[in-house]
Amino acid sequence: MNATLVGIDVGSTNVKACVLGPGQERRVRIVAHEGDLRGALERACRELQLCPGDSNVSAVVTGTEGRRRVRLPKVIAPVAIEAGLDALRLRPRAVVSAGGEDLVVYALDEQGRIVSTHAGNKCASGTGEFFRQQLGRMDLSIDDLERVCHGARTYRLSSRCSVFMKSDCTHRLNKGEATKGDIALSLSRVMADKITEFLIKAKVRQGQVALVGGVTQNRRLVGFLEHSWPDIDFVVPEQ
């Protein structure tokens, strides 16, 4: 293979770009677009040293509706996920795609083809971006989770609405009823519970399930899922 291959995923909060060079070397960039899709794409291409119009580059774009604003061959997310699973030689019962604002569970058949899709609701509570914002309000990042959650306990939070959940977190912190670690752990539990709801809808209770998306960086969330579903083998691909 002599051509350079480029895959771009336009997400709800980030643009992800991956380059596979002729020698199979891999370079990846993830850029938050904050509504400026063009600026994020230009930054990703600049950092990956991609030149517009290079005839030796073959590219494709997938992701949310924002992909339609990119003048490249387009692939819908389910097709890209199936191809990714084939490349990784994975045959899960389902794929949980948990990103900044989206939660989607794809159920697959034995041939690795997606047969049904279960999408999350429009409420921001329990999403990756909401979790990131709440960490930021506590001057924390995803890298601080293991430290602050050590010895923490979970509290019941009002998860029916992002406004109520935010108020609940703030109230408990201001009253000294919970620590930052408690809140971070409790939010992780809420996110895991939302994924559990969609696994039940997809009728997946055992076998292998692949977890993809930025939310998988939260190892506490993954731990809650593993504890709740002992008959499911949760796999988080390195990619």
Side-chain angles (χ1 to χ4, degrees):
M1 181 183 71
N2 295 320
T4 296
L5 305 179
V6 180
I8 297 172
D9 179 12
V10 178
S12 54
T13 57
N14 296 317
V15 168
K16 286 81 70 178
C18 179
V19 176
L20 288 178
Q24 291 292 300
E25 68 272 14
R26 185 180 70 195
R27 307 194 306 278
V28 177
R29 287 295 182 278
I30 301 176
V31 180
H33 57 68
E34 298 181 347
D36 182 10
L37 183 57
R38 178 172 180 172
L41 283 169
E42 289 178 347
R43 176 184 164 187
C45 290
R46 184 170 60 251
E47 293 180 357
L48 291 170
Q49 300 179 336
L50 294 173
C51 299
D54 191 336
S55 60
N56 200 41
V57 174
S58 180
V60 65
V61 62
T62 187
T64 64
E65 288 301 302
R67 72 182 186 278
R68 301 184 185 278
R69 296 168 56 189
V70 184
R71 287 184 293 179
L72 288 173
K74 297 166 183 61
V75 175
I76 61 175
V79 173
I81 287 173
E82 289 178 353
L85 294 173
D86 284 340
L88 295 174
R89 298 181 181 179
L90 290 175
R91 283 289 182 271
R93 290 282 312 282
V95 173
V96 176
S97 178
E101 296 178 1
D102 302 306
L103 170 60
V104 184
V105 174
Y106 301 95
L108 293 89
D109 61 20
E110 294 181 356
Q111 285 71 47
R113 304 283 79 88
I114 293 173
V115 294
S116 65
T117 302
H118 305 269
N121 58 36
K122 298 300 182 181
C123 180
S125 64
T127 64
E129 180 62 14
F130 179 83
F131 183 66
R132 185 192 67 78
Q133 291 175 4
Q134 299 317 301
L135 288 181
R137 292 177 65 239
M138 297 186 293
D139 296 321
L140 299 174
S141 71
I142 193 73
D143 296 328
D144 297 317
L145 276 185
E146 285 305 310
R147 174 179 59 82
V148 300
C149 288
H150 181 71
R153 56 172 295 185
T154 58
Y155 287 85
R156 191 175 188 84
L157 299 176
S158 178
S159 59
R160 58 195 171 103
C161 171
S162 59
V163 176
F164 290 143
M165 185 184 290
K166 178 180 176 181
S167 297
D168 206 356
C169 294
T170 302
H171 175 79
R172 289 186 181 276
L173 284 172
N174 290 342
K175 292 290 186 179
E177 297 176 356
T179 66
K180 292 181 179 181
D182 294 335
I183 295 299
L185 192 64
S186 300
L187 288 170
S188 300
R189 182 58 184 264
V190 169
M191 297 166 72
D193 288 345
K194 289 220 168 190
I195 292 175
T196 285
E197 291 176 14
F198 284 90
L199 286 175
I200 292 174
K201 289 182 180 180
K203 298 180 180 179
V204 176
R205 298 177 180 273
Q206 59 184 3
Q208 188 181 80
V209 171
L211 301 176
V212 301
V215 170
T216 60
Q217 296 178 60
N218 184 344
R219 302 305 302 177
R220 292 287 178 161
L221 176 149
V222 176
F224 281 129
L225 288 174
E226 292 172 338
H227 178 76
S228 299
W229 297 90
D231 293 331
I232 292 181
D233 175 25
F234 288 101
V235 176
V236 181
E238 177 190 351
Q239 292 78 4

